[in-house]
Every structure is written in structure tokens, then in C-alpha cells.
């Protein structure tokens, strides 16, 4: 009988994401028969109290996402168990091992990464790192290459690499998985996916929320380590990688590593030209007054809450094509998107009279708030008007296959896909050790360049798209960020 152990089973991640994901998987009949789900945490509550807490959290999410089903809950509640443990103590974990049994066991560490090393060491002693065991690590693992290696060496001492699943929930999103199908399953896109036809690529991850009471964590990591090192570089890899020979997990991840190794280092001399650091000050966010980061923290800080970077990939496919990435807190929109900006036609036959100007094609891959893909193409306006217009073709890849009038299916939580894959041993959508190493190596070079150039964050008003320097990052090359108000 298989078991899924949730370390930190009573915490925010488990209650908000993991347990609702398991409920929806159970509703759809996708969980293995007999799977036990064991919450493990320091809290001394009983199993009945824990199940009641899970019920409250899962029901609220299920009702918000399309409906609550008592039959599903009854089935899931029968799977649930709870054990109060000290996860760093092997003796305490032996009771957890006995509760999990001798079948396949997947352990999800939804706890502070600073505890990973001690926990996996205790797991090995307690028999929770045997050959039929897997472990899922939530990001961020470390705050630089040195601390990552220290933690991951402890993990490697307890588990073989094939048993380790480093999770990045962005990779579980439907549209991210569709990106692989879009590129490598369609002859109309892959031949154009290179420096002959692509002008540049933009990756934006915008958040409207501030740091708030998370500032102790954020002050240590900042936007560079919190978002760019994992989420954004993973998206860059999927856009830029070469076609893998097949969809074997290592085939896909080998190609991602090649991209990371091809990233041009950012030196202190170039930091000001190709990077922007920002920190939000008081302003208006979503129609309400918003404090600045220093006010939330209670004292001044040099931590960046916004980062924009031009990345260059030095290989044959992408030579000369800049990849622009930006992410930040207190931006105008909650938006995650990838923009493939194609080059204009070499000569326009329409640039005379009142026909209007030709604009270059653009492929926009949205991850949130919607998950969709649209392609903008030039088109003549309907009727007697001779002017041209850039018109999006909405592919609606996040919709079902039941016809254009059918309601879209429920958007799955990204963790649903990833939990299923981890329990079945499919590591395609997880981060391999050498991937994480290369990502940290490049991000450390950026951080060192900032330090070497004494590069302080620039102010930007809450509710804006970051410092003016972020617009200059593109405008000095004759480009501009994709916006939805054009």
C-alpha cells in the first residue's frame, strides 16, 4: 500500500495547495487505490482534529472551484491520518515509518528549506529513504550556489538522484506543458523558433501584492533569488531549449541544462546596462493606498522587490536574440506571460496612402490570470476600409474539446500534475541537480555584479511597472514591453 507523507502537513502550503489538489485528484479517480495521506508536523493535535482542519480548508477551495462533493470527501477522509513528529529526530520518525508501512512512500517537504538537511538525515536513519521511497523538495533550495550544494549534498547522501523531485509549481501549469507541444508538435512554429525570425523574447511575472509580513524571508532572498532563479529561468529554458530526442525525463532536462550553460555571464561592468533593481515605495495598488517596502519592514533595506534583466544565450539558435525578464511586487497587474516577438517583414508593400503600417507578429503565452495562447497577425479591416490591423487569433488551448460553446474545464491546480508525477516516479517536470546548480551559478554572478558595482535598488511607486530604467532596458534597443493597454 502506497503512502504520501506531508511534512508541514498543517502549514499554509499544505492547506492551501497540496490537500485541495489531492481532493480534486481523488474526485477524478486519479489517486492510487489504498493510498494513505499522512500529515506530519510538530503540532500535538489528534488525527480527528487534523482531519477537521483539512475538511475546512479543502471545502472552501472546492466550493470556490466548482463544487463540493461529500462522496469524494468521505473517500479522502478515510485516507487521511496525522502524526505529531519532530522531523529532525530519527526516533520520532520511526513511528511515522511504521504508520506509512513498507509500500512505496513519497515524502513532500512543505517546510523551511533550512531544515531539509537535518530532516533527510533523520529520514535515512528511520527507514524513510529506502529504494521504494521518493522525496519532493519545495523551492527555494538554498539562497546561493554554496548553500544549495550544502543542502543538496545532504539530500544526495540519503537519496539517489532518481528519487529526488525538486518542485517548481510553474512547470505544472497547463500552458507551460502546452509550450512543449506547441514547439515540438507543430511544423508551423518550430522552423520559425530561432534568430532568423524571432526579434526578442519577453518573460513577465507581475504581482500586485506587497511583501507584507513575509519580509523576514524576502529580505534574505529578494526578487532575484525568490523568482528569477527558479520560475523565470525554467520558463526561459522551455522557450529556448533544443528539441529533445524524446520525452524521457533526462532527454528534456539535458536540453534545459545546455541553455543554462549558454547564458552569457553578467559582469559588474555590464550590470547597469543589462539589469535593473527596484524597490517599491508608497503608492496606490488595486485602488488602495499601499505602503513602501521600507515601511512594511520597519527600517531601510537594499533588498530588491523588482528585477529586470536582459539575458543573452550564446548558441547558434539564439545568437543576437535578447531575452528580457522582469518580475516584481506591487505591479499594476497579476500577470505571468511569455511573449515571442517576431521580426517585421523585410519589405512592406502597404506603407503608402492610408493603409496603415505593418506590425510584426507576436505570440503571447499567458500563464496567469488566464492560461491561454494567442498569435497576433496582420489583417485587413473588414469592409471598404483599406487599413491594416494587428489582430490576435485566440487559440484557446486551455479550453476543452467539446466544442466552442462548451464551458471551459476547471483549471487544475499546478500541484495536481506534479503530485501525480512524483508519486509515479516521472521526473520530467522537476528540476535536476545540475539544472539547479547552473541556475544558481548564473544568479550568483548577477548578485556579485550588483555587489561589485555597488548597484542599489531604484525606487518605483507601488502600482507602477517598476523603475523607468526597466523601460529604458528595452527602449535603448528600439523595443518596448508588451502591455495590455495598447
Amino acid at each position: 500500500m502506497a503512502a504520501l507523507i506531508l511534512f508541514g502537513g498543517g502549514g499554509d502550503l499544505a492547506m492551501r495547495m497540496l490537500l485541495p489538489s489531492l481532493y480534486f485528484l481523488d474526485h477524478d479517480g486519479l489517486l492510487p487505490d489504498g493510498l494513505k495521506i499522512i500529515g506530519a508536523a510538530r503540532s500535538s493535535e489528534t488525527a480527528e482534529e487534523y482531519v477537521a482542519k483539512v475538511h475546512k480548508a479543502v471545502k472552501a477551495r472546492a466550493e470556490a472551484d466548482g463544487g463540493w462533493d461529500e462522496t469524494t470527501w468521505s473517500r479522502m477522509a478515510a485516507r487521511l491520518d496525522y502524526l505529531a513528529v519532530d522531523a529532525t529526530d530519527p526516533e520520532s520518525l520511526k513511528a511515522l515509518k511504521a504508520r506509512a508501512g513498507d509500500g512505496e512512500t513519497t515524502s513532500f517537504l512543505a517546510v523551511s528549506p533550512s531544515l531539509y538537511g537535518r530532516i533527510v538525515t533523520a529520514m535515512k536513519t528511520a527507514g524513510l529513504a529506502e529504494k521504494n521511497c521518493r522525496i519532493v523538495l519545495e523551492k527555494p533550495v538554498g539562497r546561493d550556489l554554496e548553500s544549495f550544494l550544502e543542502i543538496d549534498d545532504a539530500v544526495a547522501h540519503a537519496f539517489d538522484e532518481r528519487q529526488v523531485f525538486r518542485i517548481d509549481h510553474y512547470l505544472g501549469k497547463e500552458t507551460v506543458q502546452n509550450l512543449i507541444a506547441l514547439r515540438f508538435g507543430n511544423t508551423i512554429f518550430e522552423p520559425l523558433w530561432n534568430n532568423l525570425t524571432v526579434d526578442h523574447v519577453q518573460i513577465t511575472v507581475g504581482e500586485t501584492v506587497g511583501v507584507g509580513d513575509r519580509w523576514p524571508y524576502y529580505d534574505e532572498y529578494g526578487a532575484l533569488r525568490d523568482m528569477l532563479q527558479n520560475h523565470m529561468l525554467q520558463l526561459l529554458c522551455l522557450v529556448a531549449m533544443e528539441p529533445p530526442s524524446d520525452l524521457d525525463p533526462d532527454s528534456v532536462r539535458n536540453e534545459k541544462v545546455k541553455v543554462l550553460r549558454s547564458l552569457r555571464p553578467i559582469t559588474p561592468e555590464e550590470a547597469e546596462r543589462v539589469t535593473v533593481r527596484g524597490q517599491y515605495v508608497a503608492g496606490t495598488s488595486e485602488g488602495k493606498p499601499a505602503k513602501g517596502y521600507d515601511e512594511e519592514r520597519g527600517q531601510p533595506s537594499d533588498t530588491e522587490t523588482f528585477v529586470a534583466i536582459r539575458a543573452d544565450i550564446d548558441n547558434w539558435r539564439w545568437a543576437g536574440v535578447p531575452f528580457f525578464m522582469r518580475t516584481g511586487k506591487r505591479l499594476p497587474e497579476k500577470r505571468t506571460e511569455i511573449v515571442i516577438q517576431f521580426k517585421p517583414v523585410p519589405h512592406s508593400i502597404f506603407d503608402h496612402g492610408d493603409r496603415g503600417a505593418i506590425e510584426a507578429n507576436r505570440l503571447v503565452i499567458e500563464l496567469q490570470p488566464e492560461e491561454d495562447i494567442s498569435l497576433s497577425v496582420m489583417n485587413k479591416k473588414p469592409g471598404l476600409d483599406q487599413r491594416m490591423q494587428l489582430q490576435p487569433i485566440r487559440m484557446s488551448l486551455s479550453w476543452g474539446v467539446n466544442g466552442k460553446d462548451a464551458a471551459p474545464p476547471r483549471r487544475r491546480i499546478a500541484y495536481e500534475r506534479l503530485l501525480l508525477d512524483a508519486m509515479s516516479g516521472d521526473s520530467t517536470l522537476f528540476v535536476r541537480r545540475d539544472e539547479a546548480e547552473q541556475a544558481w551559478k548564473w544568479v550568483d554572478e548577477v548578485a556579485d555584479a550588483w555587489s561589485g558595482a555597488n548597484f542599489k535598488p531604484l525606487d518605483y511607486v507601488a502600482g507602477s511597472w517598476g523603475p523607468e530604467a526597466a523601460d529604458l532596458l528595452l527602449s535603448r534597443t528600439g523595443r518596448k514591453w508588451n502591455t495590455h493597454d495598447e
Side-chain angles (χ1 to χ4, degrees):
M1 186 177 293
L4 173 63
I5 300 173
L6 302 179
F7 286 93
D12 178 69
L13 178 63
M15 291 295 170
R16 192 167 48 88
M17 292 290 182
L18 304 181
L19 288 158
S21 294
L22 291 166
Y23 166 85
F24 288 123
L25 291 172
D26 205 341
H27 179 270
D28 294 340
L30 297 174
L31 291 184
D33 292 338
L35 175 72
K36 292 188 286 188
I37 302 170
I38 307 171
R42 287 183 177 273
S43 173
S44 59
E45 62 195 327
T46 65
E48 291 75 18
E49 290 170 333
Y50 178 72
V51 171
K53 188 163 69 173
V54 174
H55 176 270
K56 181 179 178 181
V58 169
K59 186 174 183 180
R61 180 63 184 261
E63 289 178 339
D65 276 11
W68 169 255
D69 181 61
E70 285 290 348
T71 302
T72 300
W73 168 250
S74 296
R75 193 166 56 242
M76 181 175 172
R79 300 178 185 274
L80 286 171
D81 199 357
Y82 178 80
L83 194 63
V85 299
D86 176 356
T88 63
D89 179 10
E91 290 302 316
S92 182
L93 291 188
K94 286 179 180 177
L96 184 60
K97 164 63 178 174
R99 193 74 62 90
D102 295 324
E104 287 193 350
T105 302
T106 303
S107 298
F108 194 117
L109 300 194
V111 298
S112 170
S114 63
L115 298 173
Y116 286 177
R118 293 164 62 194
I119 291 175
V120 296
T121 301
M123 290 176 69
K124 182 176 178 64
T125 303
L128 286 168
E130 302 300 316
K131 292 187 181 299
N132 63 344
C133 297
R134 305 183 184 94
I135 188 166
V136 183
L137 305 177
E138 181 69 28
K139 75 94 184 175
V141 181
R143 71 174 303 276
D144 52 24
L145 180 59
E146 181 181 3
S147 57
F148 166 77
L149 291 175
E150 182 179 344
I151 294 170
D152 218 59
D153 283 348
V155 174
H157 181 70
F159 294 89
D160 291 337
E161 177 64 26
R162 63 177 180 80
Q163 298 172 280
V164 181
F165 295 76
R166 298 171 194 84
I167 203 166
D168 185 334
H169 72 268
Y170 268 48
L171 299 184
K173 290 181 176 290
E174 187 74 22
T175 321
V176 173
Q177 296 171 62
N178 253 328
L179 180 56
I180 295 177
L182 184 82
R183 282 196 59 189
F184 304 129
N186 298 283
T187 57
I188 62 172
F189 288 117
E190 182 54 26
L192 305 179
W193 215 268
N194 54 56
N195 56 8
L196 299 179
T197 52
V198 175
D199 178 80
H200 72 278
V201 176
Q202 298 177 23
I203 301 174
T204 294
V205 179
E207 299 180 274
T208 56
V209 297
V211 175
D213 57 9
R214 290 182 67 239
W215 71 260
Y217 159 81
Y218 206 83
D219 215 48
E220 183 180 359
Y221 285 84
L224 179 70
R225 294 180 172 92
D226 182 53
M227 293 296 292
L228 192 133
Q229 183 274 335
N230 41 76
H231 298 330
M232 303 192 78
L233 285 183
Q234 283 294 317
L235 296 179
L236 179 144
C237 286
L238 290 172
V239 171
M241 71 182 189
E242 294 296 319
S245 57
D246 51 41
L247 284 180
D248 178 80
D250 278 334
S251 298
V252 174
R253 297 191 294 182
N254 287 344
E255 299 304 332
K256 288 161 66 181
V257 171
K258 290 177 186 177
V259 173
L260 293 169
R261 287 177 175 163
S262 300
L263 285 172
R264 185 182 302 168
I266 292 177
T267 63
E269 294 74 27
E270 287 210 317
E272 189 169 2
R273 183 179 69 85
V274 299
T275 73
V276 177
R277 291 184 85 194
Q279 185 184 105
Y280 61 83
V281 296
T284 302
S285 178
E286 298 183 302
K288 299 178 182 178
K291 293 181 179 180
Y293 179 71
D294 283 354
E295 294 175 81
E296 292 176 332
R297 187 180 182 276
Q299 64 187 80
S301 168
D302 285 340
T303 299
E304 77 282 351
T305 61
F306 175 94
V307 60
I309 287 185
R310 169 181 172 155
D312 288 273
I313 300 172
D314 291 332
N315 62 21
W316 278 29
R317 181 184 289 264
W318 296 115
V321 177
F323 283 68
F324 297 101
M325 296 180 282
R326 63 174 172 173
T327 183
K329 303 284 189 182
R330 287 291 185 217
L331 300 185
E333 300 174 35
K334 181 178 176 64
R335 188 207 309 178
T336 301
E337 69 178 16
I338 302 166
V339 178
I340 312 296
Q341 181 64 60
F342 292 96
K343 293 180 179 179
V345 294
H347 170 70
S348 173
I349 64 173
F350 302 100
D351 287 345
H352 63 276
D354 60 355
R355 292 180 182 270
I358 289 285
E359 296 183 53
N361 303 130
R362 175 184 294 170
L363 182 68
V364 180
I365 302 160
E366 297 180 71
L367 278 71
Q368 63 180 18
E370 301 299 325
E371 292 190 54
D372 224 328
I373 300 177
S374 63
L375 176 67
S376 295
V377 298
M378 289 307 298
N379 179 41
K380 190 190 82 64
K381 288 191 173 182
L384 300 177
D385 195 328
Q386 294 296 306
R387 286 176 297 172
M388 305 291 287
Q389 64 181 359
L390 192 66
Q391 179 176 337
I393 301 173
R394 199 168 184 81
M395 298 184 185
S396 298
L397 294 182
S398 63
W399 283 52
V401 294
N402 299 321
K404 64 180 181 179
D405 296 325
R410 178 185 65 83
R411 185 189 302 177
R412 289 194 179 275
I413 303 171
Y415 283 97
E416 294 179 44
R417 169 81 271 156
L418 298 174
L419 283 167
L420 272 185
D421 285 356
M423 288 188 287
S424 65
D426 184 346
S427 57
T428 306
L429 297 176
F430 295 83
V431 180
R432 202 169 62 192
R433 177 178 169 124
D434 53 348
E435 276 185 78
E437 282 188 41
Q438 287 297 322
W440 275 123
K441 182 175 182 291
W442 191 74
V443 164
D444 280 359
E445 289 168 348
V446 175
D448 291 345
W450 285 348
S451 177
N454 196 25
F455 202 40
K456 303 294 185 185
L458 303 171
D459 289 348
Y460 67 96
V461 177
S464 69
W465 275 111
E468 290 183 9
D471 291 328
L472 290 174
L473 185 67
L474 272 73
S475 64
R476 70 167 63 103
T477 68
R479 302 174 174 99
K480 62 181 179 179
W481 291 105
N482 182 51
T483 58
H484 289 192
D485 54 6
E486 294 179 342

